[in-house]
Amino acid sequence: MDKLYLSALIYFAVISFVTFTVTVLDKIFAKKRMRRVPEATLLSLALFGGSVSEYITMKVIRHKTLHKKFMVGLPVIIILQAVVVSAVAYFMIFK
């Protein structure tokens, strides 16, 4: 059980770091008018667990804050992920 928690913690730390890095790079590329990171990539990273990291990063660096796809979509993803994590935790504790 402890290995599962440790693995989950490591996974979310890594996906959060990757999401943060890619979001910051997209902001830098936008400023330099370089080829951008596709929106689908940013949203995929959020779906795979980087949603909180991406949302916070976007608010702090003011990136994609005018895109409804991100400013509505990311909170929805965060809520859905919280529900899933809560359900899994509930069933692991009260099996």
Side-chain angles (χ1 to χ4, degrees):
M1 196 71 123
D2 290 334
K3 286 184 181 182
L4 178 64
Y5 293 131
L6 181 60
S7 297
L9 183 63
I10 291 170
Y11 172 79
F12 284 111
V14 169
I15 194 70
S16 293
F17 178 75
V18 169
T19 303
F20 165 79
T21 303
V22 171
T23 304
V24 170
L25 284 174
D26 188 49
K27 174 73 172 189
I28 292 168
F29 294 163
K31 283 185 171 184
K32 293 185 177 187
R33 299 187 184 271
M34 296 172 63
R35 185 180 175 121
R36 305 282 302 278
V37 175
E39 289 184 350
T41 301
L42 294 171
L43 290 170
S44 295
L45 288 168
L47 284 171
F48 288 120
S51 55
V52 173
S53 172
E54 187 165 358
Y55 187 77
I56 292 169
T57 303
M58 292 171 97
K59 292 295 248 181
V60 169
I61 67 173
R62 295 182 183 170
H63 185 57
K64 301 251 185 229
T65 55
L66 299 177
H67 293 82
K68 287 185 182 180
K69 183 188 300 186
F70 287 92
M71 298 321 296
V72 173
L74 286 176
V76 169
I77 292 170
I78 291 168
I79 291 167
L80 291 174
Q81 288 173 339
V83 168
V84 169
V85 168
S86 298
V88 169
Y90 176 81
F91 287 112
M92 288 180 71
I93 293 169
F94 299 109
K95 0 177 189 175

